Amino acid sequence: MSRGHTELTTGAYHFVLQRPDGVGFAATSNDQPLAVGTMTFEPDVDLRPTTLVLSERLIGSKLQIEGSATGPAMPVADLFNGRWNGASLQLLSADWSQNSEGNFLCEGRLGSVRLDAGRMTMTIDVGPASSANQPCVQTSPECRALLGDNKCRIDMRSRRRRATVTAIDDRGISIDTIDIEPFVMGRLRWLSGANCGLEQRIIAADGAHLVLQTSEGSEIGVGDCVVLTEGCDGRRATCSERFANVVNFRGEPDLPGSQILLRFPGD
């Protein structure tokens, strides 16, 4: 960074990456740490933008970032077991000689990640595309709200339970609690062990045995602590009978589906 023409060497890129759980880091392409306000951009993260395409259309803007697959800030295992899913990224350009905050270039959400010969390439969905790529559902037989969110409004404080893993088999795990049927279609969050911080969906329960949705997480250990959150199958009957919350039901089970197009007169 100290060699060459001054106008070319005082420029640097700043990256701010943050996971949905709040974990993140600030990095710079400069070879020295840069303290800007309350944030310090570290140089020991091998990241650099390789392609930035900004489109005036709603969808089409992309940013590609290349870096080492062995960096400590974003271990490959964490990327592929889902810890960085939905992470946000901001890209700025700055003059490191002035220690300035930098000029905002773009922001978006982490998309695909590709590995090739020890190098990692991340694709970032930039601008409105980061949210526009999400499915937009107009109607559905089942409720589109998530149990406990601001549309459902069910109080979840009494619908969570801590437990400890007591056994592991090919189908799932056993825990030191029973009566876990309400947690089917809910979430299990790991509080300790190699998977600490990760979540998995509970797809079936039998006594104290849980079947979890498969993931790329680390090995589970007996004694690992978890917290279970109740689930909901999204049916109106469940919303009414189990939760007494049909006033907030967000589905349309009485609307005819696409099969009505295949009916003949008189059917």
Side-chain angles (χ1 to χ4, degrees), residues 4-261:
H5 197 282
T6 302
E7 293 181 358
L8 298 178
T9 58
T10 58
Y13 288 110
H14 292 348
F15 304 87
V16 181
L17 288 99
Q18 187 171 41
R19 300 185 332 204
D21 61 3
V23 175
F25 63 88
T28 178
S29 63
N30 188 37
D31 60 355
Q32 297 293 324
L34 295 175
V36 179
T38 60
M39 187 176 299
T40 300
F41 293 85
E42 298 291 345
D44 57 348
V45 179
D46 177 19
L47 293 175
R48 62 184 180 90
T50 57
T51 304
L52 175 58
V53 178
L54 297 178
S55 171
E56 293 182 354
R57 297 187 300 174
L58 183 62
I59 297 178
S61 298
K62 296 284 184 182
L63 167 67
Q64 280 196 339
I65 296 177
E66 186 177 290
S68 171
T70 60
M74 297 182 70
V76 171
D78 285 356
L79 278 168
F80 286 97
N81 66 22
R83 292 186 189 272
W84 288 89
N85 288 355
S88 63
L89 179 140
Q90 288 187 351
L91 176 65
L92 306 95
S93 65
D95 184 342
W96 58 262
S97 66
Q98 302 297 322
N99 207 33
S100 62
E101 293 186 4
N103 300 312
F104 175 82
L105 294 180
C106 65
E107 65 180 346
R109 295 199 174 274
L110 180 62
S112 62
V113 180
R114 187 178 72 252
L115 292 179
D116 184 19
R119 301 295 293 173
M120 172 179 62
T121 302
M122 297 183 292
T123 300
I124 310 297
D125 294 322
V126 175
S130 62
S131 56
N133 285 336
Q134 301 300 317
C136 181
V137 180
Q138 299 298 322
T139 63
S140 62
E142 293 80 22
C143 182
R144 295 181 298 279
L146 297 176
L147 183 62
D149 69 6
N150 58 359
K151 295 180 180 180
C152 171
R153 299 186 180 182
I154 288 291
D155 187 350
M156 298 299 293
R157 287 177 293 182
S158 62
R159 299 183 183 274
R160 296 186 176 93
R161 185 181 303 175
R162 288 177 177 258
T164 302
V165 177
T166 58
I168 308 162
D169 57 40
D170 293 339
R171 296 178 54 249
I173 63 173
S174 295
I175 56 177
D176 61 347
T177 186
I178 58 175
D179 189 24
I180 53 179
E181 189 65 29
F183 298 95
V184 175
M185 303 302 295
R187 308 291 296 182
L188 177 148
R189 184 175 180 85
W190 297 95
L191 300 180
S192 66
N195 294 293
C196 183
L198 297 180
E199 285 191 347
Q200 290 178 264
R201 181 172 294 278
I202 302 168
I203 60 176
D206 182 11
H209 188 270
L210 294 173
V211 179
L212 305 176
Q213 186 179 35
T214 57
S215 72
E216 299 299 326
S218 303
E219 185 175 348
I220 300 170
V222 172
D224 288 352
C225 296
V226 301
V227 60
L228 310 178
T229 301
E230 285 192 22
C232 178
D233 60 10
R235 297 186 304 119
R236 183 167 59 186
T238 302
C239 187
S240 175
E241 297 168 8
R242 179 177 162 196
F243 299 106
N245 191 45
V246 73
V247 67
N248 290 317
F249 183 73
R250 303 286 175 147
E252 297 78 26
D254 298 323
L255 287 179
S258 59
Q259 67 273 13
I260 195 173
L261 300 176

